Amino acid sequence: MITKRPYRNVGVGGTFDALHKGHRALISKAFEVGDYVFIGLTSDKLAVELQKSHKIAPYKERLAALYCFLEKTEFKNRFEISTMHTPYGLTLNRTDLNALVVSQETVRMGECINEKRVQAGLSTLSIVKIDLVPAENKKPISTTRIRAKEIDPEGHLLKHKI
């Protein structure tokens, strides 16, 4: 039986540094709700401009990890990866996008994208929000926590605070 997905074309984007369980959940949700997924990956320059609180792997490494993940899934031939030079990626020029998948942390960016789309005379995108994925200690998995060697990419604790 073929399952009909709610959206034809879905967008999702991020830095996807230290590709972790939360990133994989976000990307997987995009494939769950969309027939085709446009994945925006922040450029090295944009990653610096976003002023993350940790070191960020070079674009080529992040891109390779993303492809490695996608090639191991059933998502083959259903995606396109593009470089994001602005926080909006391709969302302000694609008229064929129907939805945007965001996390609790990025829902405001989704709303901002819709505001900018309206200003540009484009239709708004449906916003599909996922919850943050918790680590073993119930705090969200994040690259910051991984880079601090507090957790691994699956959310397992690496050091315990007393």
Side-chain angles (χ1 to χ4, degrees):
M1 180 165 97
I2 297 174
T3 304
K4 174 116 174 77
R5 293 178 193 89
Y7 305 104
R8 180 157 171 71
N9 293 314
V10 174
V12 64
T15 305
F16 301 123
D17 185 35
L19 193 71
H20 57 69
K21 190 175 183 178
H23 292 140
R24 293 191 308 270
L26 182 73
I27 294 165
S28 295
K29 184 64 170 185
F31 284 101
E32 179 185 316
V33 301
D35 293 327
Y36 197 82
V37 177
F38 292 90
I39 303 169
L41 181 63
T42 60
S43 68
D44 286 333
K45 183 176 184 249
L46 178 58
V48 169
E49 290 170 8
L50 293 174
Q51 299 180 342
K52 302 279 186 171
S53 63
H54 53 78
K55 175 187 172 282
I56 298 169
Y59 178 87
K60 286 183 179 181
E61 286 180 29
R62 294 180 286 118
L63 180 63
L66 193 52
Y67 271 117
C68 184
F69 162 63
L70 292 166
E71 289 301 315
K72 293 178 186 174
T73 68
E74 71 276 9
F75 308 143
K76 291 179 187 175
N77 305 318
R78 291 184 45 213
F79 68 90
E80 178 181 312
I81 299 174
S82 63
T83 306
M84 290 174 41
H85 298 285
T86 73
Y88 312 108
L90 52 71
T91 61
L92 303 183
N93 1 39
R94 289 209 72 109
T95 58
D96 59 347
L97 279 181
N98 312 111
L100 187 63
V101 177
V102 299
S103 70
Q104 290 170 309
E105 287 182 328
T106 59
V107 70
R108 180 64 193 119
M109 178 54 74
E111 293 165 351
C112 182
I113 285 169
N114 272 338
E115 291 166 12
K116 290 194 173 290
R117 284 179 65 90
V118 168
Q119 291 168 4
L122 299 171
S123 60
T124 59
L125 303 174
S126 295
I127 303 290
V128 178
K129 183 177 77 167
I130 70 159
D131 292 331
L132 295 175
V133 176
E136 281 180 337
N137 64 354
K138 309 296 186 231
K139 294 179 185 175
I141 296 173
S142 70
T143 301
T144 301
R145 294 182 69 202
I146 293 166
R147 293 276 186 217
K149 300 192 182 328
E150 183 182 334
I151 59 171
D152 70 12
E154 298 304 310
H156 302 291
L157 294 174
L158 295 179
K159 60 183 180 182
H160 300 279
K161 295 181 180 178
I162 299 175

